[in-house]
Amino acid sequence: MFTPRRAEHRQSKKLSLISLLTGLVTLVVLLTSSILLVGSYESQKNSLMETTLHLNYSNADRISKTMDSLFRSMRGSLEYSADKLSDVDAMTSKQVYDYLDLMRKSSNFFNSIAVVEANGLIRNVAPARVGTAGRRITSKASLEALALQKPYISSPYMTSNTKRLIVFMSQPIFSSAGKYLGILSGTLYLQENNILSDIFGNGNVDDSGSYYYIVDSNGRLLYHPDKQHLGKDVSSNKVVQKLMKGESGEQQVRNISGVEMLAGYSSVPANGWGIVVVSPIGLIHDQLMDHIRTILWYSLFPFIILLMGVILVAFRLARPFVYLANLVSKIGKEKIVMPEAKPHWSQEADLLTKAVMLAMLNIQKQTDQLTQEAVTDVLTGLMNRRSLEYTMSQWMASGLPFSLIMLDVDKFKFVNDTYGHLIGDEVLKHVAEVIVTSLRPDDVCYRYGGEEFVILLNRPEEAFNVAERVRRALEQSRAPIPTQVTVSLGIAHYPLHASEREELIEKADQALYLAKSRGRNRTIVSEG
């Protein structure tokens, strides 16, 4: 029998239109927010990982080319000096020592240099404080080099007398008649200052946790920011195994401390060593979480307004809300062209439309800001290396002749050591400001890394004059430190000196290195 009480019970179970639409809108908001966050997270994650891998590989390749050039120079120095010592038997001990000492001081390639006779007796060694002159060689590497009678480079090993971790290079000495006289050896002390630490010793862990390390052909660490790891066998590392095969590339890998890293690696042809540049993958997660928090913050208020508007006028705003929800759901999946906000006949619907548009504009603004930050150096405000590589690729693709000026602040390590890194940062900002004010509006300046800057000119004939103008302006400027701030500059022209981006940078870097070696505070144009 139907009773009023039963009818009332059934009526209480039914949802009102407001409640139903409010629940649906709440669900849509949650779904669109999830789509937004997941889509944005995955898109940014893939982009950052790919960019970081490419950047690390580019850095590893650049360092490997520098090291390859360095070791070819070291080998050439030993070969030249071995030829000069072909009449070593006719030279006095003092003459030999003076020659070795001059060789060591003029090139700064080796910590110590020695002449070892064919019978294994160390005839002379520079510097004399090493104290091995007159003794016989005992290490496995030196005995192997002596017996081989060919150019030789050892794996790192610990010496028995000095307890130093060293790398040993040698060149056979032959008389003019072809008689084998012994070897000329050069030694690098891996844990002390030498040419390697001078050139590559600024690769400590940076603020982002990125760093690089160097391994030999057997997978042992030759350079690492933590010197306690020097000499360790890391051949089990997948990246190191590929380097031991002479391969180069990029991949995700776990370091010796068990931390997931994004690695770019490149082998060095001259000695079989390998360079690995790594960045912690946790850095990307931190950046992504900041990005997500920003999206949530900017999205919260518009979505609250959206929900309140639907609750107030649920039925009339149902259709425009569905339209807006579908539009928001595309965020993170595809490029969205913001539609023109058309006014609705309902004031509430109009407010809702404006709120969602505001949220999307805020999200777009944050995305554009992240994109800008990805190509801008935070310290100086100049464009960074990533932007430099993109611009060079564009100019080269269009066939536009241009010049690349690479400049490096002279004795910047002295500035940091003397006045501290904060003052060093002020010096870098000062250098960037002077460079920008010395250039024309269509000239572009980039911070390449550390104390290195790069200028791109689409007027190759003016490159030297522009470089000199920048150099003189810095030389005459009032720096943030008591001492004068100067720079050394190297110039390379495209396509005159190189047709590839990395090769052009290397040519300019070599010219810069030549300017440094000739006394600093000068400009050198690449000789091709």
Side-chain angles (χ1 to χ4, degrees):
M1 180 179 177
F2 182 80
T3 63
R5 179 175 294 180
R6 184 175 298 175
E8 182 179 353
H9 180 69
R10 290 180 178 177
Q11 186 70 23
S12 64
K13 289 185 177 180
K14 294 181 180 180
L15 295 174
S16 66
L17 181 60
I18 298 267
S19 299
L20 177 60
L21 291 180
T22 300
L24 290 175
V25 169
T26 302
L27 180 61
V28 170
V29 169
L30 292 176
L31 288 175
T32 52
S33 298
S34 299
I35 292 171
L36 167 67
L37 294 177
V38 172
S40 179
Y41 182 91
E42 290 299 324
S43 175
Q44 291 293 327
K45 177 183 177 182
N46 293 335
S47 177
L48 286 172
M49 289 184 66
E50 182 178 356
T51 300
T52 302
L53 283 170
H54 290 342
L55 184 61
N56 286 351
Y57 171 72
S58 176
N59 290 338
D61 186 62
R62 179 180 59 83
I63 296 173
S64 72
K65 284 182 170 62
T66 301
M67 179 170 287
D68 186 75
S69 177
L70 171 64
F71 268 78
R72 291 184 187 278
S73 298
M74 295 168 69
R75 175 59 65 194
S77 174
L78 285 177
E79 185 176 355
Y80 173 83
S81 296
D83 182 65
K84 289 294 183 180
L85 292 170
S86 60
D87 60 342
V88 66
D89 288 342
M91 299 171 66
T92 66
S93 179
K94 184 177 185 307
Q95 288 176 328
V96 176
Y97 175 82
D98 289 342
Y99 183 87
L100 296 182
D101 193 56
L102 176 62
M103 175 186 173
R104 186 180 68 86
K105 291 179 178 178
S106 61
S107 67
N108 197 30
F109 283 155
F110 304 102
N111 292 95
S112 65
I113 304 175
V115 172
V116 182
E117 297 179 351
N119 59 7
L121 182 68
I122 302 175
R123 175 170 177 174
N124 293 89
V125 63
R129 63 176 179 274
V130 175
T132 56
R135 302 181 185 178
R136 291 191 177 276
I137 56 175
T138 57
S139 68
K140 180 180 177 181
S142 56
L143 290 172
E144 184 177 352
L146 189 66
L148 191 62
Q149 298 187 19
K150 293 181 179 180
Y152 178 85
I153 181 171
S154 74
S155 296
Y157 67 94
M158 189 73 69
T159 60
S160 58
N161 56 336
T162 62
K163 302 302 180 184
R164 288 188 174 103
L165 185 64
I166 72 169
V167 168
F168 173 91
M169 295 180 64
S170 70
Q171 184 73 22
I173 303 174
F174 292 95
S175 68
S176 56
K179 179 183 177 182
Y180 179 54
L181 303 178
I183 59 173
L184 173 63
S185 67
T187 305
L188 289 169
Y189 302 159
L190 296 181
Q191 294 167 317
E192 299 179 22
N193 292 332
N194 51 52
I195 189 68
L196 291 180
S197 62
D198 289 344
I199 297 178
F200 305 106
N202 59 352
N204 294 326
V205 181
D206 62 20
D207 294 337
S208 67
S210 300
Y211 62 92
Y212 68 82
Y213 59 89
I214 302 172
V215 296
D216 70 357
S217 58
N218 295 319
R220 293 189 177 275
L221 280 172
L222 298 174
Y223 175 78
H224 193 278
D226 186 351
K227 290 189 176 182
Q228 294 180 355
H229 294 314
L230 295 182
K232 282 188 177 180
D233 185 352
V234 292
S235 57
S236 60
N237 185 296
K238 294 180 180 179
V239 164
V240 175
Q241 290 175 357
K242 291 185 178 182
L243 285 172
M244 292 168 65
K245 297 176 182 178
E247 299 178 9
S248 300
E250 55 193 48
Q251 72 175 69
Q252 185 174 332
V253 70
R254 190 183 300 270
N255 69 7
I256 56 179
S257 300
V259 179
E260 289 291 335
M261 310 291 281
L262 298 175
Y265 55 95
S266 181
S267 60
V268 183
N271 53 21
W273 294 2
I275 312 295
V276 185
V277 179
V278 293
S279 299
I281 201 170
L283 172 66
I284 292 178
H285 292 315
D286 292 341
Q287 293 176 344
L288 289 172
M289 291 310 298
D290 288 340
H291 176 62
I292 294 300
R293 281 191 289 268
T294 302
I295 291 177
L296 288 173
W297 175 254
Y298 280 97
S299 302
L300 181 62
F301 180 70
F303 279 135
I304 290 176
I305 294 179
L306 170 66
L307 187 59
M308 291 178 61
V310 172
I311 293 175
L312 293 174
V313 285
F315 181 77
R316 297 193 177 203
L317 294 180
R319 182 173 297 175
F321 174 76
V322 171
Y323 167 75
L324 292 173
N326 290 335
L327 185 64
V328 172
S329 68
K330 297 177 182 179
I331 298 178
K333 294 181 178 180
E334 58 186 75
K335 179 68 175 179
I336 298 177
V337 178
M338 296 295 293
E340 182 180 357
K342 298 180 180 180
H344 292 277
W345 62 268
S346 168
Q347 182 180 359
E348 291 79 8
D350 190 67
L351 177 63
L352 176 63
T353 301
K354 290 179 180 179
V356 174
M357 292 299 179
L358 175 62
M360 295 180 67
L361 286 173
N362 286 332
I363 293 169
Q364 186 66 43
K365 180 180 178 181
Q366 291 301 308
T367 301
D368 293 341
Q369 183 177 350
L370 285 173
T371 302
Q372 179 64 24
E373 291 175 353
V375 298
T376 304
D377 176 59
V378 177
L379 178 64
T380 62
L382 300 175
M383 287 184 286
N384 61 17
R385 184 183 304 175
R386 185 181 304 160
S387 179
L388 167 67
E389 294 172 351
Y390 176 78
T391 303
M392 290 181 66
S393 298
Q394 293 293 104
W395 287 14
M396 287 180 171
S398 65
L400 175 69
F402 64 94
S403 294
L404 185 148
I405 304 174
M406 179 170 287
L407 63 93
D408 183 276
V409 181
D410 293 330
K411 300 182 179 179
F412 187 69
K413 185 177 184 301
F414 171 81
V415 174
N416 278 337
D417 292 344
T418 305
Y419 304 101
H421 289 275
L422 292 178
I423 298 299
D425 288 347
E426 292 301 317
V427 170
L428 291 177
K429 289 192 283 187
H430 167 74
V431 171
E433 181 179 353
V434 173
I435 293 173
V436 171
T437 56
S438 302
L439 298 177
R440 294 183 180 179
D442 56 341
D443 299 332
V444 192
C445 181
Y446 305 82
R447 185 182 179 193
Y448 192 71
E451 65 270 26
E452 289 185 314
F453 298 81
V454 169
I455 301 170
L456 291 184
L457 299 174
N458 56 13
R459 309 180 308 280
E461 68 279 2
E462 298 181 23
F464 185 82
N465 291 335
V466 170
E468 281 294 285
R469 184 167 67 244
V470 170
R471 184 187 66 79
R472 288 193 296 268
L474 280 166
E475 185 181 37
Q476 299 167 6
S477 65
R478 185 174 181 179
I481 56 176
T483 58
Q484 186 185 52
V485 174
T486 62
V487 294
S488 299
L489 306 94
I491 302 175
H493 302 299
Y494 172 85
L496 177 62
H497 294 140
S499 59
E500 297 294 332
R501 186 181 66 199
E502 291 79 10
E503 185 182 3
L504 186 67
I505 293 174
E506 182 181 359
K507 293 290 185 182
D509 189 61
Q510 289 174 352
L512 169 62
Y513 182 80
L514 187 58
K516 290 277 189 182
S517 66
R518 291 183 178 178
R520 302 183 178 90
N521 191 21
R522 64 190 64 223
T523 302
I524 297 294
V525 180
S526 175
E527 298 179 358

